[in-house]
Amino acid sequence: MRILPVSLTVLLVELADLDETLALFASLEADPVDGIVEMVPAARTLMIRFRPEKLTAERLAANIATRDLSARITPSDILVEIPVIYDGEDLADVAELTGLSVEDVIRRHTDSTFTVAFCGFAPGFGYLVGGDPALQVPRRQSPRTKIPAGSVALAGAFSGVYPQNSPGGWQIIGTTPEKMWDLSRDPPALFQPGHRVRFIDLAKKTGATTAPSSNVASIPTSDAAQAAPLDNDLTFTVLAAPVPALFQDLGRFGQTGQGVSSSGALDQGALKAANRVVGNPAATPVLEIILGGFSFEVSGRAVFAIAGAPCPITIRDISGRSIVAEAYQPIALEAGDVVTLGQAPKGMRSYLSVRGGFAVKPVLGSASTDTLAVVGPDPVTAGAVLTFNQDASNLTSVSLTEVPAFDPPAFGDVVTLDVIMGPRGDWFTETGIATLSSQLWQVTPQSNRVGIRITGDVALERKDKAELPSEGTATGAIQVPHSGQPVLFLADHPLTGGYPVIGTVAEYHLDLAGQIPVGAQIRFRPVTTFADIKPAKA
């Protein structure tokens, strides 16, 4: 067992195999440690997020070291049957790699009873184990940029079904019409850890249907949406949104078992400030807006605010008179006022709050829109009518003293981010580790809420081309693909990843990272050296 640093509040336990990983996960669930917030099991690791005010990494490591890892998890009595058309693009390649015929590949796949070991990568993506060992094949050398939803695939010791269109490197052997992720179900993920799974060859099943044979209950749940406005509701009517705005709050927690990461505002300090300005509770959902041109008309008296990237704010009243307002100040509106936000000269994301909060329905406990997982309220576009709450019971007075927590970076600026080294520092050469901090990294236009894609003159050098089993990833992780050009994960990152993470941006710099615009440069500043975490002595 190794216990590796990820960030100031996250560590990674590396174990011998999946059985030990699941045994440790089960032990910590049955006998929890006060201070653990969340756990993400993977192929041979358990990522643990903890509260540093309650627990140190060393004390947590000492507790973990005492756990019994010999217990084996009893499979669930729930069996899910997945109908499959074995027509995958890689079916012939899998046959060649395994030395089997195509018919034997299909037979061995359908004869196996799998178990959902854990969920990750994307919502509803279950990693299935227990298949025929003869079907173990490597990932594709060149991952596909888009794999269709419902693709049945193999990689290493795992089988799985892609729940939505996404990039991926697994070997596709077939397709299923079954919906793996459906928000009208409770839970939305068809595969839950512990479930047993069998694949049914539709070509051989007379009168096959697409419905799964499963003991999983299906309970309709409400979709994420704005409540339909009533005649007396106060509303914002969106007149223009060149880039769709997104509802965001502090994030969606407790859903890692379904493969769902936290998402949430990229600049959480700005979100909280925007809410304090108008007297809302700090976690009230707001609109996250990038670039300029967002405009709306208000139907009645309201108070709103802007925080984060300091975009110009213009208000035109019904008489045609225009005034200019400032960010981080409460702004009173009257019926018929039209507000237009210009492009911020620095920073990347502005946060729009309204006193009382938007009447938006949460999905899986949060109103955040996760752009990778496609979970949460729909993006806000021109023509949308946004209702806001008029209940004042949880409101406080407006704040006139809010200021930005930092000066947002502009195009061309150099932004320094502190980095906790690990958990995979030993996958890189000394030259590669030195390169991370010795050169500037350019922020590219391919960046988004999933991650900041950066390029440097010199790629990060790895010790070898070994394949890393999928493991949990944290917001701020600097993941390094084969190209050696890193991706800095932001809030909508996949829950698990298969490339080594050389370091993770310190939590106190994540808001700053969320405001870095395209064209800026990043300097990584390691504040720790990579080393295993040693258990505290009793």
Side-chain angles (χ1 to χ4, degrees):
M1 177 192 296
R2 296 179 68 196
I3 301 177
L4 307 169
V6 175
S7 70
L8 298 174
T9 61
V10 182
L11 56 76
L12 189 76
V13 185
E14 180 182 274
L15 298 129
D17 52 31
L18 179 62
D19 285 339
E20 283 196 0
T21 300
L22 297 180
L24 177 59
F25 180 59
S27 173
L28 289 170
E29 282 201 318
D31 181 16
V33 177
D34 185 29
I36 288 181
V37 177
E38 204 162 45
M39 298 185 289
V40 180
R44 59 175 189 180
T45 59
L46 183 66
M47 190 177 79
I48 303 175
R49 183 180 306 279
F50 61 92
R51 298 188 188 279
E53 68 272 18
K54 289 191 173 183
L55 193 61
T56 66
E58 292 76 16
R59 283 173 49 213
L60 178 55
N63 184 289
I64 290 169
T66 67
R67 300 285 172 147
D68 178 12
L69 304 182
S70 63
R72 293 297 173 256
I73 308 305
T74 304
S76 165
D77 59 356
I78 294 176
L79 174 66
V80 181
E81 293 186 343
I82 301 296
V84 180
I85 301 169
Y86 284 94
D87 59 355
E89 296 178 57
D90 302 318
L91 184 56
D93 290 342
V94 169
E96 183 177 347
L97 287 165
T98 57
L100 302 170
S101 67
V102 167
E103 292 73 19
D104 277 342
V105 169
I106 296 171
R107 179 182 58 78
R108 288 172 183 261
H109 196 248
T110 55
D111 282 352
S112 299
T113 299
F114 297 87
T115 301
V116 183
F118 58 93
C119 292
F121 175 67
F125 190 100
Y127 287 76
L128 311 182
V129 296
D132 192 314
L135 297 182
Q136 295 189 14
V137 290
R139 293 186 181 99
R140 287 172 51 87
Q141 285 296 313
S142 300
R144 292 184 172 90
T145 57
K146 183 178 180 181
I147 292 179
S151 294
V152 179
L154 303 171
F158 298 106
S159 188
V161 183
Y162 283 82
Q164 60 193 35
N165 297 338
S166 62
W170 288 29
Q171 308 275 3
I172 302 172
I173 61 172
T175 55
T176 179
E178 191 56 59
K179 288 186 74 171
M180 307 308 298
W181 176 260
D182 185 352
L183 285 169
S184 68
R185 278 196 303 251
D186 183 18
L190 184 59
F191 288 167
Q192 296 290 317
H195 285 180
R196 292 176 299 128
V197 178
R198 297 213 45 164
F199 293 94
I200 307 299
D201 185 359
L202 279 176
K204 295 182 179 178
K205 187 172 182 181
T206 305
T209 112
T210 63
S213 172
S214 167
N215 295 329
V216 180
S218 292
I219 304 173
T221 59
S222 59
D223 292 330
Q226 278 268 310
L230 303 175
D231 290 342
N232 60 343
D233 281 341
L234 291 176
T235 61
F236 287 170
T237 299
V238 180
L239 305 177
V243 178
L246 301 175
F247 283 110
Q248 296 295 341
D249 54 21
L250 296 180
R252 179 177 290 106
F253 299 97
Q255 300 295 333
T256 56
Q258 299 194 83
V260 180
S261 58
S262 59
S263 189
L266 294 193
D267 184 348
Q268 300 212 345
L271 175 145
K272 294 174 183 177
N275 276 319
R276 287 195 299 266
V277 170
V278 297
N280 288 341
T284 303
V286 303
L287 284 179
E288 184 178 85
I289 299 167
I290 64 172
L291 304 178
F294 189 86
S295 180
F296 62 90
E297 180 178 346
V298 65
S299 68
R301 288 186 172 181
V303 176
F304 85 103
I306 295 290
C311 58
I313 307 166
T314 304
I315 303 166
R316 189 183 74 247
D317 64 20
I318 56 174
S319 70
R321 182 174 65 97
S322 292
I323 62 170
V324 174
E326 297 293 329
Y328 288 90
Q329 292 295 313
I331 303 167
L333 299 175
E334 297 288 343
D337 284 353
V338 173
V339 178
T340 300
L341 307 180
Q343 183 166 351
K346 52 188 179 179
M348 189 70 184
R349 293 171 174 87
S350 304
Y351 293 87
L352 188 157
S353 62
V354 60
R355 185 169 173 81
F358 293 100
V360 60
K361 297 178 182 177
V363 177
L364 302 179
S366 169
S368 287
T369 298
D370 187 327
T371 57
L372 178 68
V374 196
V375 174
D378 290 335
V380 175
T381 57
V385 179
L386 310 180
T387 305
F388 45 98
N389 300 311
Q390 300 178 60
D391 180 7
S393 58
N394 291 325
L395 303 182
T396 60
S397 3
V398 299
S399 173
L400 304 175
T401 59
E402 297 299 326
V403 294
F406 53 84
D407 186 29
F411 180 93
D413 283 357
V414 175
V415 183
T416 299
L417 298 177
D418 289 352
V419 174
I420 311 302
M421 296 302 290
R424 295 301 175 189
D426 50 0
W427 280 56
F428 297 86
T429 65
E430 290 184 9
T431 300
I433 292 171
T435 301
L436 178 70
S437 58
S438 65
Q439 70 176 357
L440 297 178
W441 298 89
Q442 186 77 24
V443 177
T444 72
Q446 288 70 43
S447 303
N448 52 34
R449 280 185 51 87
V450 176
I452 301 176
R453 293 190 176 273
I454 53 180
T455 59
D457 292 337
V458 180
L460 297 180
E461 183 180 78
R462 282 177 51 176
K463 288 181 177 177
D464 55 42
K465 295 183 179 180
E467 195 167 276
L468 179 72
S470 292
E471 60 189 29
T473 58
T475 302
I478 305 167
Q479 190 184 66
V480 186
H482 292 303
S483 67
Q485 301 292 345
V487 179
L488 169 54
F489 278 162
L490 298 179
D492 289 357
H493 66 87
L495 190 63
T496 59
Y499 295 115
V501 171
I502 192 171
T504 302
V505 171
E507 284 83 347
Y508 54 79
H509 273 170
L510 289 178
D511 285 357
L512 175 58
Q515 290 291 3
I516 300 175
V518 172
Q521 295 178 298
I522 295 175
R523 174 181 287 114
F524 291 117
R525 180 172 61 193
V527 294
T528 64
T529 54
F530 172 69
D532 289 21
I533 296 171
K534 302 301 181 185
K537 295 181 180 179

